Amino acid sequence: MLLIYNNPAVIEAMSQDERTGLFAQVDEIMAELTASGELIRGEALSGAAKTVRLRGGVAATTDGPFVEAKEQFAGYLAVDVASEDRALEIAARWPDAAWGGMEVRQILG
């Protein structure tokens, strides 16, 4: 699983041409992964989030994953690849890796 982290303010600050180029890079990688059969699923996520924590039997709900964080969990790709190295290669090519972050985790089960 490739978890995509970015700062929405960075995208908002981009020109229309920069955003178009960013999404063209995403489309290119998605097409490649689809053609190779490595893509299982991928989705962008809303920036609106709530965190629920149960403490002492009482649920507390707060806005956002971490209010002080500028980066957010923006989406994911589930891929079926031959090795961890291939997953890391894909993550390094994803545009958000240049200004946000990509987390690579194995799906268990």
Side-chain angles (χ1 to χ4, degrees), residues 5 16 36 39 50 62 68 81 83 91 104 109:
Y5 292 89
Q16 184 59 45
S36 70
L39 180 66
K50 303 261 186 212
T62 56
E68 69 277 4
V81 294
S83 67
V104 177

Side-chain angles (χ1 to χ4, degrees), residues 6-55:
N6 67 30
N7 181 339
V10 172
I11 295 173
E12 290 170 17
M14 289 179 178
S15 70
Q16 184 59 45
D17 286 344
E18 290 171 323
R19 278 194 297 275
T20 298
L22 171 77
F23 294 121
Q25 290 176 26
V26 169
D27 290 344
E28 180 182 329
I29 297 169
M30 293 294 281
E32 175 190 310
L33 296 174
T34 299
S36 70
E38 293 173 307
L39 180 66
I40 296 171
R41 184 178 178 144
E43 299 288 340
L45 300 174
S46 160
K50 303 261 186 212
T51 297
V52 178
R53 291 182 172 88
L54 190 63
R55 300 294 185 264

